[in-house]
Amino acid sequence: MADEITPLSEDERAELEALRAEKAARERAAQEQAARERAELEALRSELSESGESSDASETTPAEQPAPQPARQQPQAQSQESEEDRRIREARERGARLMEPNDDLSMPLGQKIVLAVMALLVALIVGMHFLVG
């Protein structure tokens, strides 16, 4: 039987121990990184509270705080974001119309096209199998 359980060889046991040690080292490094980031966050929070900022601003992380922009660039950035959001929304709506069924649960055009292409590929493969073989 090939499914019998056999004990690990010395090489396998050594490899397993090495992998376990690497994993433990990665976990320690990740914990140290998290501790450094927490310390940095606390330092930034204390800096904000010392500079007279409101307590609400000191509770948010630096990543959550919006980057200060010049007054002229803010409306342009907002309109650019809204334009991009509008394009994304329209693309999703087109995709939904193509691939999702309507209220009457008829098959959408996109699914019909996919099935037709798949049927054509299967027919070609079957035809080649019989012609060549």
Side-chain angles (χ1 to χ4, degrees):
M1 290 179 117
D3 293 335
E4 290 182 22
I5 298 175
T6 58
L8 294 176
S9 69
E10 290 302 317
D11 292 337
E12 291 172 329
R13 190 173 310 278
E15 182 182 2
L16 177 62
E17 292 302 320
L19 291 173
R20 284 180 178 163
E22 287 177 20
K23 180 181 177 186
R26 281 194 310 266
E27 288 175 353
R28 279 192 305 273
Q31 289 174 350
E32 290 170 359
Q33 176 75 18
R36 283 192 302 269
E37 289 175 352
R38 276 191 212 99
E40 181 182 2
L41 175 63
E42 291 301 319
L44 290 172
R45 282 182 179 169
S46 65
E47 237 179 70
L48 283 175
S49 63
E50 288 173 1
S51 67
E53 294 289 325
S54 67
S55 63
D56 292 338
S58 66
E59 292 177 5
T60 59
T61 61
E64 294 172 350
Q65 294 176 356
Q69 295 181 350
R72 284 178 245 137
Q73 290 180 354
Q74 282 182 343
Q76 181 184 7
Q78 290 174 351
S79 66
Q80 185 179 12
E81 287 177 14
S82 63
E83 181 71 20
E84 184 177 345
D85 289 342
R86 185 186 57 79
R87 282 195 307 256
I88 291 171
R89 187 175 52 252
E90 288 174 358
R92 285 184 179 168
E93 289 172 1
R94 281 193 307 270
R97 281 194 306 268
L98 266 178
M99 297 304 288
E100 293 179 3
N102 298 333
D103 291 336
D104 61 353
L105 297 179
S106 63
M107 188 178 292
L109 177 64
Q111 287 181 356
K112 290 178 185 177
I113 292 171
V114 169
L115 288 175
V117 169
M118 295 284 290
L120 180 64
L121 287 175
V122 168
L124 285 173
I125 292 171
V126 169
M128 288 175 56
H129 178 70
F130 287 115
L131 290 176
V132 174

